[in-house]
Amino acid sequence: MKAGFVIEEHVVVYCDGCGDHYSEKDNESICFHSIAQAIAYFSAHSATVGWVYDGDRILCDGCIATLHCLQYGHTYPDTWQTTVWPLGKLTRSRSCTECGIPEIEAQS
């Protein structure tokens, strides 16, 4: 039985693009017993967790979306979203369907 303060080693996964740690809920890091276990997990679950391991690097869903937009350009919906501000002013905007950046903030 373990008791008191125990030092244990585990593997935590960080995105190679932005450094964000992998978590599934409550922003808590997921701890794996080994690098091999982490690789097996992402190889089997990449489609459902949004992170991709390509055999060299692991990237989070945000970095994957950003790389997609850098390579192919942003994709905006045909319709605009209307926002009503507290004083009654209306604005229209739309955001990239891949990375989420508002069109007004995107560089051409």
Side-chain angles (χ1 to χ4, degrees):
M1 176 181 94
K2 295 179 184 177
F5 296 99
V6 179
I7 296 174
E8 297 188 67
E9 293 184 22
H10 56 268
V11 175
V12 176
V13 178
Y14 293 90
C15 175
D16 283 317
C18 67
D20 193 16
H21 67 275
Y22 176 72
S23 64
E24 291 186 355
K25 66 176 189 174
D26 301 328
N27 205 28
E28 293 283 333
S29 296
I30 304 297
C31 298
F32 296 95
H33 295 293
S34 67
I35 292 173
Q37 182 193 28
I39 289 171
Y41 178 83
F42 286 102
S43 296
H45 297 94
S46 65
T48 57
V49 299
W51 285 51
V52 174
Y53 176 66
D54 67 4
D56 180 38
R57 302 184 318 155
I58 186 155
L59 296 172
C60 70
D61 51 354
C63 287
I64 293 166
T66 300
L67 289 173
H68 175 85
C69 290
L70 286 172
Q71 186 173 3
Y72 300 107
H74 295 290
T75 306
Y76 297 101
D78 294 332
T79 58
W80 293 80
Q81 177 181 353
T82 302
T83 303
V84 180
W85 295 96
L87 297 176
K89 183 178 179 180
L90 298 174
T91 58
R92 296 181 333 143
S93 63
R94 57 187 184 169
S95 298
C96 177
T97 57
E98 290 292 325
C99 71
I101 191 170
E103 185 174 30
I104 196 168
E105 294 178 18
Q107 296 178 359
S108 299

